[in-house]
Every structure is written in structure tokens, then in C-alpha cells.
Amino acid sequence: MDMAMGAAGGSGDQPNNQNGKKSYHRHNLDQTTKLEELFSKCHHPNKKQRQQIATDLGLDTKQVKFWFQNRRTQKKVQTDRANNNVLRVENERMYNENLAIRETLKNIRCSSCASGDKEHEHSLEQLRLENAHIKAESERVSNLLTVYMEKSTSELKLELASIRRSSSRGPFIGSPLKVGAETRMNLGGSTSRSCQDEAMLSNPRSKITKVEKTMMSQVSMAAKGELLKLLCTSEPLWSKSSVDQAFVLHLESYEKLFPRINHFINSKARVESSKDSRMLKIKARELVDVFLDSEKWASFFPTIVTKAQTIEVLENGSSENRIGALLLMYEEMHVLSPLVLPREFYFIRYCQQIEADIWVITDVSIDYMKNNPNPSSWRFPSGCIIHDISSETCYVSWVEHVEVDEKIQTHQLYRDIVNNNIAYGAKRWLTELQRMCERCISVGAEYIPNYDIGGVITTIGGRKGIMKLSHQMIKDFYGSLNMSSKTNLPQHLTEENDRVTISLQKNRNPSQPNSMITIVAATSFWLPLPSQNLFDFFRDPIRRAMWDVMGCKNSVQEIARISTGTHPSNYISIIQPIHPTANNVVIIQESCLDPLASYVVYSPVNILDMKRTINGEDCSTVSIFPSGIVILENGQSIASASTSSGGNADTRARGSVLTVAFQILMNSPTTTALESRAVVDSLITLTVKNIKDALMKDSNLRL
């Protein structure tokens, strides 16, 4: 009886167990289905997402984590297996085709070889020898490239030195390739480059060897691949800066994708990276030509590039679209203050058209100068991608990626704008490019807006002449501020420790003999005023007599204005004294804005030269000696400096950094340097004093 009841009980429990198992399997199936759905949407859930999934499905967080890891592994295995099958089939097909071609070639002979088997065998032997030689050369270049990418600088030099000694094609000329380019300058105003370096830059070394050219080509191709990944990838490779919400590289993610070597031996490096995009009013092909012409390049970026040169054209590229163009270039960049050291780069610029309407321009640093063992700045793959939108418009995405030796300390007035990607960041490059594109449109416009002239400039030729003269003026002014590479006179400290830097420079004006010397004096100092207020102050003709000691002691008036872009603050003015004097001089002035600073640049011009320019005559011989003001919005560095010295940081939390610069011609060849120094030093000292006095008196701009 007990056994029967046990049997009955067992038979009665079996359906319940089976139902439980079905319910359990159905529950697992539902969980798996939901996990598959989530996996199709996101392969890599973060910690918060994994916790939410575990809660929803009644699982442990670790179970969810391991399930996604296993599923990703399975997915990769499936994909690899499918790819292998495809490649296996393709390999089999190619192998069969190769066998068929070999069998066919055995019975084919050219007309010259048809006379006999001996000639045929001799030709084959020569081809085998040539093929072996080519393979050996290819392996040698590959080994050199591996050394270049992986070995340290000292190892690379020893390796290439041994190759130079053993090369059957003759010795290498110049130095081996090495990462880096330098700015060997200091705040004391000493010469930045030795006489040997200057001579090498003006007279480039002998032609680059085939091995070096091949290495440069390989490096540029690798740099292009890296640049495209940087341009086409967002998070986690790029993150938003806490300073201005601009995109900067996430270094840990970057180094996982692109391992790199340390270019600064026994020193720490600071990385500056940024990415930005913008629509520009210029044809894509025209913009490509700007990048591949060093003169146009420097002309399009006058506030950033103070000097540019194409050292050697390694590949011209296609005449139609410049595909494959490869240039070895030199570039010097500056922040437009004597207190900031310029940056120098020797780099390869590579142009490639990746689609019918898309070009990519890649820059990557290279050491070209022989005696540059310690570079202080190095450009990792940087550049832009240019997308042709229409016949007059293109879309440009730009990446800047630079490593700087932290031994080169930036002056505290400029530390924030340099270290925070404001001075050399992608946004500034694109904004300056946008401003110059708008300027080019203004030059080529077929009409003269009535609000731009005031009855003085009445012809298209006159407007183009004034814009050309003004552009030459601002280029000369920006170039003169780079004093670190010039022969400087002793410096002088004026009131309140405003440092005045004075420099002797060769005259660049075509209307004057080349033997003439110009004297440039500049000083930078901080004011607790917003940059916009100062910009408006210096542009105002009514208040000009309050500070300008060069030529406007009396009241002046603006008699003409030409717009140079869409921003109302970007324009060229012609300023004339209300009561003309015997000097017969007017002032040409250009005002403009960019993300870094605002600029007011001016030069006295003989009134007869101005009239000829307005009439459309050649302006290349007009004498111009530009002076100007550079105004930067800045306050964080000063605030921190005040705090560290016990000052009141709250009252000086925000402000502007002013750079005032003069350029005059030495009176005669017999004038001594000290006499000229005394004159220009007194001029700039008096100007600074007048500026501060005027700001004290102005109720809207009181210090």
C-alpha cells in the first residue's frame, strides 16, 4: 500500500516538475531574447546600463557583464570565420587563375625572343636578377621605416650612419629623418637659429635621396590614415574640454590606438589637441591650392603664420586635382607678442583626394635641419578634410595635434591662451581662414556698397588697391612682432616694469633701399578692462589724438571705409587730419577680430601715394611703416599671479593684455643704434603713458 501510494505520488509530481522545467527554460529563453535585442543596440554597455539590465531581467550584474563579453567574442569569431571563408574562396580562385596564367606564359614569346631559346633564357635570367635587386631594396627601405617608427633618436642616427657608409648609391646628404622641430629661443631675446641653420633654410641642402623620399612617402601615408581616424571618430577618442567645451583628445584612448615614442628626452611634454569644423565660402580646389603654395599659405593666415617656405617638392601630384602632392615645408608660428616664443616646424604636407569631391591635407613633423638634436615642439598627424559642397562653398574639418616640451615656459600673461588651445587651436585656424575667405570675396566683388566709401573710393580698382596695400601692411606688422630671431638692442624697463623690446630689422619695403634698417619696438602689459572696450577706444577717430604720438596730435576724421567681411568690426579706414598740415600724410588703418585677439594696425601714407592707389594705380612701391595694437582678452594668469603674491585677485580677475608696437625707419645710415633706440623707446613709453592717462579720464573706460 505504501509503495502504491509512493508510486502514485511520484506519478502525480512528474507533470509539475515538467511544467517547472518548461517554465524555467521559457524564462531563460526570454532573458536571452531580451539580451540579444539589447546587444544589437549596444555592444558595450557601461556600468550603469549593466545594472539596469540586471534589474530588469532579474540577473546579477556580473552575469550581464560576462554575457556581453562572451557574446562579443562569439560575434567576432563568427565574423572572422565568415571573412576567412570568403578569403579562402577568393584565394582559391586567384591560385587557379595564377596557375592558368603561368601555363599560358610558358608558351608565349615576344618577337625578339622567338629566334631561339638561348636569348629567351638570357632575358629571363636578367629579369630574375633585377627582381631580386628590387626585392632587396624594398626590404632595406622597410627596415629603415621600421627603425624610424620604433627606434629612439640615437639608435636611428647610428643605423642610418652605417647605411650611409655601406650604400652603393653614394652617401646620404644632410641628416637622417627624426621626429621634431624646434624653437631654440629664450626670453632674453637671443638669436633663435644659428648662422648655419639660416643658411640651410635659405639655401636648402642637396636633393633628398630616394630612400629618404620613400620614407617620407610612407610616413605621410601612415599619417593620413591616422588623421582620417581622428576626423571621423568622436567619443571616446575625443572629449569636451572643461574650459570652453571644445573637442580635445582623450590621451589614454588615443595612445591605445596610436602608440607613440617620447620625442623629448629627459623632459616632460604637454599635448595640445583640438578639433573643429566650419562651412567656408571658397571653392574646394582653390583651398587645396592655398595649402600647397607656401606664399598663399602665409598670406591666408597672417596672424598665425609669420613665415612659410616650401623646401622641396617631392611629388607634384596630378595637375587636375593635385592627388599625391607631397611637399617638404617649413613654418614659423607666433602669438604676436615679443614675450611669446615662436614655434618652428619642418613637416611633410601630403594631399590626397579620397573621393570625387573630398580632399584630405595631412601635416606631420620631420627633422630636416642637421643640428637640431633637441626639438621643443612636434606636430603629430594633423590637418583637415575638405568637402566640396557647391561651386562656391566647402565644408572643412580641422585637427591640430602638437606636443610641446614643458621646459619652454610661456610668459604668464599668455599662458592661458597658449595652453588652452586658443592660440594655435583648430578653432582659431578655421576662424582666420573664414575671415580671409570673406576678405577675398570683398576684393572680388563687382560692386561698391554705398555705406563703405563716403565719396572717396569710387572705382573697383581703387578699392582693390587699398585692400592690397592694407593686407601688405598687416603682414609686415605681424611679421615685425616676431623679434626672437632678430638682432635685438638692449632692452629697457619703463614704468611699472613694462618691458620694451627693441629690434633692428632689414627693411622689407620695396620703395626703400634694401640697405635701410627699420627699428621695431614693442611692449606688452595688462589692463583691467574688457578687450571690446579697448578695441572700440583705439578704433575711434575722435579719441585718437589722446594716445597716438606718431602723427595725430590734432583731431582726425575717417574719410573712407571698406568692409573686409561680414563682421562689422572688420574694415579698412582712411583717416585724415581735420586741419591738414604741411606733412601731407593720411593714415590707412585696418581693424579686425579673431578668436585670439582684436587688432588695430595702421601706417602713415603720403597723400599723393594714397591718391594714386585710390585711382587704381600700382601700390607695390608705396612706403608703409606699420604700427599697431594687439588686444587679448585675458585675466586668469594675472589673477593667479596676484593671488600668489598676496594681491587682491578679485579686483583683477578679468582684463586684457595689450601689445603696442612701433616701426620706424632709421634717419640715415650714420645714425647709431643707441640714438635710434632712444627715439623709439621714448615714443613707445609716451604712447603707453598717453593710453593709460586717456583711460583714466574716460568715464566709460576708467581704470
Short mmCIF file of all heavy atoms in Angstrom, two decimals, residues 431-478:
data_model
loop_
_atom_site.label_atom_id
_atom_site.label_comp_id
_atom_site.label_asym_id
_atom_site.label_seq_id
_atom_site.Cartn_x
_atom_site.Cartn_y
_atom_site.Cartn_z
N THR A 431 38.67 79.97 -38.03
CA THR A 431 38.10 81.32 -37.99
C THR A 431 38.95 82.28 -38.82
O THR A 431 38.40 83.14 -39.54
CB THR A 431 38.00 81.82 -36.55
OG1 THR A 431 37.29 80.86 -35.77
CG2 THR A 431 37.28 83.15 -36.48
N GLU A 432 40.25 82.16 -38.73
CA GLU A 432 41.12 83.01 -39.55
C GLU A 432 40.94 82.70 -41.03
O GLU A 432 40.92 83.60 -41.88
CB GLU A 432 42.58 82.81 -39.13
CG GLU A 432 43.57 83.65 -39.89
CD GLU A 432 43.48 85.13 -39.57
OE1 GLU A 432 42.62 85.53 -38.75
OE2 GLU A 432 44.25 85.91 -40.16
N LEU A 433 40.80 81.42 -41.36
CA LEU A 433 40.56 81.04 -42.75
C LEU A 433 39.22 81.59 -43.24
O LEU A 433 39.11 82.08 -44.37
CB LEU A 433 40.59 79.51 -42.87
CG LEU A 433 40.35 78.93 -44.27
CD1 LEU A 433 41.37 79.46 -45.25
CD2 LEU A 433 40.41 77.40 -44.21
N GLN A 434 38.20 81.53 -42.39
CA GLN A 434 36.90 82.08 -42.75
C GLN A 434 36.99 83.59 -42.99
O GLN A 434 36.41 84.12 -43.95
CB GLN A 434 35.89 81.78 -41.65
CG GLN A 434 34.47 82.25 -41.96
CD GLN A 434 33.52 81.93 -40.81
OE1 GLN A 434 33.88 82.05 -39.64
NE2 GLN A 434 32.32 81.52 -41.13
N ARG A 435 37.73 84.29 -42.13
CA ARG A 435 37.88 85.74 -42.29
C ARG A 435 38.58 86.09 -43.60
O ARG A 435 38.19 87.02 -44.31
CB ARG A 435 38.65 86.32 -41.10
CG ARG A 435 38.72 87.83 -41.08
CD ARG A 435 39.44 88.31 -39.83
NE ARG A 435 40.85 87.99 -39.85
CZ ARG A 435 41.77 88.75 -40.45
NH1 ARG A 435 41.41 89.85 -41.09
NH2 ARG A 435 43.04 88.41 -40.41
N MET A 436 39.61 85.33 -43.95
CA MET A 436 40.33 85.61 -45.19
C MET A 436 39.51 85.26 -46.42
O MET A 436 39.62 85.92 -47.46
CB MET A 436 41.65 84.85 -45.19
CG MET A 436 42.66 85.33 -44.16
SD MET A 436 43.01 87.11 -44.28
CE MET A 436 43.68 87.20 -45.93
N CYS A 437 38.68 84.22 -46.32
CA CYS A 437 37.78 83.90 -47.44
C CYS A 437 36.79 85.05 -47.66
O CYS A 437 36.51 85.43 -48.81
CB CYS A 437 37.04 82.60 -47.16
SG CYS A 437 38.08 81.12 -47.21
N GLU A 438 36.25 85.60 -46.57
CA GLU A 438 35.35 86.74 -46.70
C GLU A 438 36.08 87.95 -47.28
O GLU A 438 35.51 88.71 -48.07
CB GLU A 438 34.76 87.09 -45.34
CG GLU A 438 33.82 86.03 -44.78
CD GLU A 438 33.33 86.36 -43.39
OE1 GLU A 438 33.81 87.36 -42.80
OE2 GLU A 438 32.47 85.62 -42.87
N ARG A 439 37.33 88.12 -46.92
CA ARG A 439 38.12 89.23 -47.46
C ARG A 439 38.31 89.07 -48.97
O ARG A 439 38.21 90.04 -49.73
CB ARG A 439 39.48 89.30 -46.75
CG ARG A 439 40.30 90.52 -47.13
CD ARG A 439 41.71 90.41 -46.56
NE ARG A 439 42.48 91.59 -46.87
CZ ARG A 439 42.61 92.63 -46.07
NH1 ARG A 439 42.02 92.61 -44.89
NH2 ARG A 439 43.33 93.67 -46.44
N CYS A 440 38.59 87.84 -49.40
CA CYS A 440 38.75 87.59 -50.84
C CYS A 440 37.47 87.87 -51.60
O CYS A 440 37.49 88.38 -52.73
CB CYS A 440 39.20 86.15 -51.07
SG CYS A 440 40.88 85.80 -50.49
N ILE A 441 36.32 87.54 -51.00
CA ILE A 441 35.04 87.84 -51.64
C ILE A 441 34.86 89.35 -51.77
O ILE A 441 34.39 89.85 -52.79
CB ILE A 441 33.89 87.20 -50.84
CG1 ILE A 441 33.98 85.67 -50.90
CG2 ILE A 441 32.54 87.68 -51.36
CD1 ILE A 441 32.97 84.97 -50.02
N SER A 442 35.26 90.10 -50.74
CA SER A 442 35.14 91.56 -50.79
C SER A 442 36.03 92.14 -51.87
O SER A 442 35.65 93.09 -52.56
CB SER A 442 35.50 92.16 -49.42
OG SER A 442 34.64 91.70 -48.41
N VAL A 443 37.23 91.58 -52.04
CA VAL A 443 38.14 92.09 -53.07
C VAL A 443 37.56 91.84 -54.46
O VAL A 443 37.64 92.71 -55.34
CB VAL A 443 39.52 91.41 -52.94
CG1 VAL A 443 40.41 91.78 -54.12
CG2 VAL A 443 40.18 91.82 -51.64
N GLY A 444 36.96 90.67 -54.66
CA GLY A 444 36.46 90.32 -55.98
C GLY A 444 35.05 90.77 -56.27
O GLY A 444 34.51 90.47 -57.35
N ALA A 445 34.40 91.47 -55.34
CA ALA A 445 33.02 91.91 -55.55
C ALA A 445 32.94 92.87 -56.73
O ALA A 445 33.84 93.69 -56.96
CB ALA A 445 32.47 92.57 -54.29
N GLU A 446 31.88 92.80 -57.49
CA GLU A 446 31.71 93.62 -58.68
C GLU A 446 30.93 94.90 -58.42
O GLU A 446 30.52 95.57 -59.36
CB GLU A 446 30.98 92.80 -59.77
CG GLU A 446 31.75 91.57 -60.23
CD GLU A 446 33.07 91.95 -60.90
OE1 GLU A 446 33.14 93.04 -61.49
OE2 GLU A 446 34.02 91.14 -60.83
N TYR A 447 30.71 95.25 -57.16
CA TYR A 447 30.00 96.49 -56.85
C TYR A 447 30.62 97.11 -55.61
O TYR A 447 31.35 96.46 -54.86
CB TYR A 447 28.52 96.23 -56.61
CG TYR A 447 28.23 95.46 -55.35
CD1 TYR A 447 27.91 96.10 -54.15
CD2 TYR A 447 28.29 94.06 -55.35
CE1 TYR A 447 27.67 95.39 -53.00
CE2 TYR A 447 28.06 93.34 -54.19
CZ TYR A 447 27.74 94.02 -53.03
OH TYR A 447 27.52 93.30 -51.88
N ILE A 448 30.36 98.38 -55.39
CA ILE A 448 30.87 99.10 -54.23
C ILE A 448 29.69 99.51 -53.36
O ILE A 448 28.88 100.34 -53.77
CB ILE A 448 31.65 100.35 -54.65
CG1 ILE A 448 32.82 99.96 -55.57
CG2 ILE A 448 32.18 101.09 -53.44
CD1 ILE A 448 33.58 101.15 -56.08
N PRO A 449 29.54 98.92 -52.15
CA PRO A 449 28.44 99.34 -51.27
C PRO A 449 28.57 100.81 -50.90
O PRO A 449 29.65 101.30 -50.59
CB PRO A 449 28.61 98.43 -50.04
CG PRO A 449 29.48 97.31 -50.50
CD PRO A 449 30.36 97.86 -51.57
N ASN A 450 27.45 101.52 -50.93
CA ASN A 450 27.48 102.96 -50.64
C ASN A 450 27.92 103.24 -49.20
O ASN A 450 28.54 104.25 -48.92
CB ASN A 450 26.10 103.57 -50.88
CG ASN A 450 25.73 103.56 -52.36
OD1 ASN A 450 26.61 103.65 -53.20
ND2 ASN A 450 24.44 103.44 -52.67
N TYR A 451 27.58 102.33 -48.28
CA TYR A 451 27.92 102.59 -46.88
C TYR A 451 29.40 102.38 -46.60
O TYR A 451 29.85 102.62 -45.49
CB TYR A 451 27.10 101.69 -45.96
CG TYR A 451 27.31 100.21 -46.17
CD1 TYR A 451 28.37 99.55 -45.56
CD2 TYR A 451 26.45 99.46 -46.97
CE1 TYR A 451 28.57 98.20 -45.74
CE2 TYR A 451 26.64 98.11 -47.16
CZ TYR A 451 27.69 97.48 -46.54
OH TYR A 451 27.89 96.13 -46.72
N ASP A 452 30.18 101.95 -47.59
CA ASP A 452 31.58 101.68 -47.35
C ASP A 452 32.52 102.79 -47.81
O ASP A 452 33.71 102.71 -47.56
CB ASP A 452 31.99 100.38 -48.06
CG ASP A 452 31.69 99.16 -47.23
OD1 ASP A 452 31.40 99.36 -46.06
OD2 ASP A 452 31.74 98.05 -47.76
N ILE A 453 32.05 103.78 -48.52
CA ILE A 453 33.02 104.67 -49.16
C ILE A 453 33.00 106.10 -48.66
O ILE A 453 34.03 106.69 -48.43
CB ILE A 453 32.83 104.66 -50.69
CG1 ILE A 453 31.35 104.62 -51.06
CG2 ILE A 453 33.58 103.55 -51.33
CD1 ILE A 453 31.09 104.66 -52.53
N GLY A 454 31.89 106.70 -48.48
CA GLY A 454 31.86 108.09 -48.05
C GLY A 454 32.30 109.05 -49.14
O GLY A 454 32.78 110.15 -48.86
N GLY A 455 32.21 108.66 -50.42
CA GLY A 455 32.51 109.55 -51.52
C GLY A 455 33.97 109.68 -51.88
O GLY A 455 34.34 110.55 -52.66
N VAL A 456 34.85 108.81 -51.35
CA VAL A 456 36.29 108.91 -51.64
C VAL A 456 36.73 107.85 -52.64
O VAL A 456 37.39 108.15 -53.63
CB VAL A 456 37.11 108.80 -50.34
CG1 VAL A 456 38.60 108.77 -50.64
CG2 VAL A 456 36.77 109.95 -49.41
N ILE A 457 36.39 106.59 -52.39
CA ILE A 457 36.78 105.49 -53.27
C ILE A 457 35.62 105.23 -54.22
O ILE A 457 34.57 104.74 -53.80
CB ILE A 457 37.13 104.23 -52.46
CG1 ILE A 457 38.19 104.56 -51.42
CG2 ILE A 457 37.61 103.12 -53.37
CD1 ILE A 457 38.45 103.46 -50.44
N THR A 458 35.83 105.53 -55.49
CA THR A 458 34.71 105.49 -56.44
C THR A 458 34.86 104.40 -57.50
O THR A 458 33.98 104.26 -58.34
CB THR A 458 34.59 106.85 -57.15
OG1 THR A 458 35.84 107.15 -57.80
CG2 THR A 458 34.26 107.95 -56.15
N THR A 459 35.96 103.64 -57.50
CA THR A 459 36.17 102.61 -58.52
C THR A 459 36.50 101.28 -57.87
O THR A 459 37.02 101.22 -56.74
CB THR A 459 37.32 103.00 -59.47
OG1 THR A 459 38.55 103.05 -58.72
CG2 THR A 459 37.07 104.35 -60.12
N ILE A 460 36.22 100.20 -58.62
CA ILE A 460 36.56 98.86 -58.15
C ILE A 460 38.08 98.72 -58.02
O ILE A 460 38.59 98.16 -57.05
CB ILE A 460 36.02 97.81 -59.13
CG1 ILE A 460 34.48 97.90 -59.23
CG2 ILE A 460 36.45 96.41 -58.70
CD1 ILE A 460 33.77 97.55 -57.97
N GLY A 461 38.83 99.25 -58.98
CA GLY A 461 40.28 99.18 -58.93
C GLY A 461 40.85 99.89 -57.72
O GLY A 461 41.84 99.44 -57.13
N GLY A 462 40.26 101.02 -57.36
CA GLY A 462 40.72 101.74 -56.18
C GLY A 462 40.50 100.96 -54.91
O GLY A 462 41.37 100.91 -54.03
N ARG A 463 39.34 100.31 -54.81
CA ARG A 463 39.07 99.50 -53.62
C ARG A 463 40.03 98.32 -53.53
O ARG A 463 40.57 98.02 -52.46
CB ARG A 463 37.63 98.99 -53.65
CG ARG A 463 37.25 98.24 -52.39
CD ARG A 463 35.87 97.64 -52.49
NE ARG A 463 35.81 96.66 -53.56
CZ ARG A 463 34.71 96.00 -53.91
NH1 ARG A 463 33.59 96.25 -53.29
NH2 ARG A 463 34.73 95.13 -54.88
N LYS A 464 40.29 97.66 -54.67
CA LYS A 464 41.23 96.53 -54.67
C LYS A 464 42.63 97.00 -54.28
O LYS A 464 43.34 96.30 -53.55
CB LYS A 464 41.24 95.86 -56.04
CG LYS A 464 39.96 95.11 -56.37
CD LYS A 464 40.07 94.43 -57.72
CE LYS A 464 38.79 93.64 -58.03
NZ LYS A 464 38.87 92.95 -59.35
N GLY A 465 43.02 98.17 -54.77
CA GLY A 465 44.35 98.69 -54.43
C GLY A 465 44.49 98.98 -52.95
O GLY A 465 45.52 98.67 -52.34
N ILE A 466 43.47 99.58 -52.35
CA ILE A 466 43.51 99.88 -50.91
C ILE A 466 43.56 98.59 -50.10
O ILE A 466 44.31 98.47 -49.12
CB ILE A 466 42.29 100.74 -50.50
CG1 ILE A 466 42.37 102.12 -51.14
CG2 ILE A 466 42.20 100.86 -48.99
CD1 ILE A 466 43.54 102.95 -50.67
N MET A 467 42.78 97.58 -50.50
CA MET A 467 42.77 96.32 -49.77
C MET A 467 44.11 95.59 -49.91
O MET A 467 44.61 94.98 -48.95
CB MET A 467 41.63 95.43 -50.25
CG MET A 467 40.25 96.00 -49.98
SD MET A 467 38.90 94.85 -50.35
CE MET A 467 39.03 93.72 -48.98
N LYS A 468 44.73 95.68 -51.07
CA LYS A 468 46.04 95.06 -51.27
C LYS A 468 47.09 95.76 -50.42
O LYS A 468 47.93 95.12 -49.78
CB LYS A 468 46.43 95.12 -52.75
CG LYS A 468 47.77 94.50 -53.06
CD LYS A 468 48.08 94.59 -54.54
CE LYS A 468 49.46 94.00 -54.85
NZ LYS A 468 49.78 94.11 -56.30
N LEU A 469 47.06 97.10 -50.40
CA LEU A 469 48.01 97.86 -49.60
C LEU A 469 47.83 97.55 -48.11
O LEU A 469 48.81 97.38 -47.38
CB LEU A 469 47.82 99.35 -49.87
CG LEU A 469 48.72 100.31 -49.07
CD1 LEU A 469 50.19 100.09 -49.43
CD2 LEU A 469 48.32 101.76 -49.34
N SER A 470 46.60 97.48 -47.66
CA SER A 470 46.33 97.20 -46.26
C SER A 470 46.77 95.80 -45.87
O SER A 470 47.30 95.57 -44.78
CB SER A 470 44.84 97.39 -45.96
OG SER A 470 44.57 97.16 -44.59
N HIS A 471 46.56 94.83 -46.77
CA HIS A 471 46.97 93.46 -46.46
C HIS A 471 48.48 93.37 -46.33
O HIS A 471 49.00 92.67 -45.44
CB HIS A 471 46.48 92.51 -47.55
CG HIS A 471 46.70 91.06 -47.23
ND1 HIS A 471 46.16 90.45 -46.12
CD2 HIS A 471 47.43 90.10 -47.86
CE1 HIS A 471 46.53 89.18 -46.08
NE2 HIS A 471 47.31 88.95 -47.12
N GLN A 472 49.22 94.08 -47.20
CA GLN A 472 50.67 94.10 -47.07
C GLN A 472 51.09 94.75 -45.76
O GLN A 472 52.06 94.33 -45.11
CB GLN A 472 51.29 94.86 -48.26
CG GLN A 472 52.80 94.84 -48.28
CD GLN A 472 53.36 93.43 -48.38
OE1 GLN A 472 52.91 92.62 -49.20
NE2 GLN A 472 54.34 93.12 -47.55
N MET A 473 50.34 95.76 -45.35
CA MET A 473 50.64 96.45 -44.10
C MET A 473 50.50 95.51 -42.90
O MET A 473 51.39 95.44 -42.04
CB MET A 473 49.71 97.65 -43.93
CG MET A 473 49.84 98.37 -42.60
SD MET A 473 48.63 99.69 -42.39
CE MET A 473 47.10 98.73 -42.24
N ILE A 474 49.39 94.77 -42.82
CA ILE A 474 49.19 93.90 -41.66
C ILE A 474 50.17 92.73 -41.67
O ILE A 474 50.63 92.28 -40.61
CB ILE A 474 47.73 93.40 -41.57
CG1 ILE A 474 47.34 92.56 -42.77
CG2 ILE A 474 46.78 94.57 -41.41
CD1 ILE A 474 45.98 91.94 -42.67
N LYS A 475 50.54 92.23 -42.85
CA LYS A 475 51.54 91.17 -42.91
C LYS A 475 52.88 91.66 -42.37
O LYS A 475 53.56 90.97 -41.62
CB LYS A 475 51.69 90.66 -44.34
CG LYS A 475 50.56 89.75 -44.81
CD LYS A 475 50.72 89.39 -46.27
CE LYS A 475 52.01 88.64 -46.52
NZ LYS A 475 52.17 88.28 -47.95
N ASP A 476 53.29 92.89 -42.78
CA ASP A 476 54.54 93.44 -42.28
C ASP A 476 54.49 93.66 -40.77
O ASP A 476 55.47 93.42 -40.06
CB ASP A 476 54.84 94.77 -42.99
CG ASP A 476 55.24 94.57 -44.44
OD1 ASP A 476 55.47 93.42 -44.84
OD2 ASP A 476 55.30 95.57 -45.18
N PHE A 477 53.34 94.11 -40.29
CA PHE A 477 53.22 94.37 -38.85
C PHE A 477 53.31 93.08 -38.05
O PHE A 477 54.07 92.99 -37.08
CB PHE A 477 51.89 95.07 -38.57
CG PHE A 477 51.61 95.24 -37.09
CD1 PHE A 477 52.29 96.18 -36.35
CD2 PHE A 477 50.67 94.45 -36.45
CE1 PHE A 477 52.05 96.34 -34.99
CE2 PHE A 477 50.41 94.59 -35.11
CZ PHE A 477 51.10 95.54 -34.38
N TYR A 478 52.56 92.05 -38.47
CA TYR A 478 52.59 90.79 -37.74
C TYR A 478 53.98 90.17 -37.79
O TYR A 478 54.47 89.60 -36.81
CB TYR A 478 51.57 89.82 -38.32
CG TYR A 478 50.13 90.29 -38.20
CD1 TYR A 478 49.19 89.97 -39.17
CD2 TYR A 478 49.72 91.07 -37.14
CE1 TYR A 478 47.87 90.40 -39.07
CE2 TYR A 478 48.41 91.51 -37.03
CZ TYR A 478 47.49 91.17 -38.00
OH TYR A 478 46.19 91.61 -37.90
#
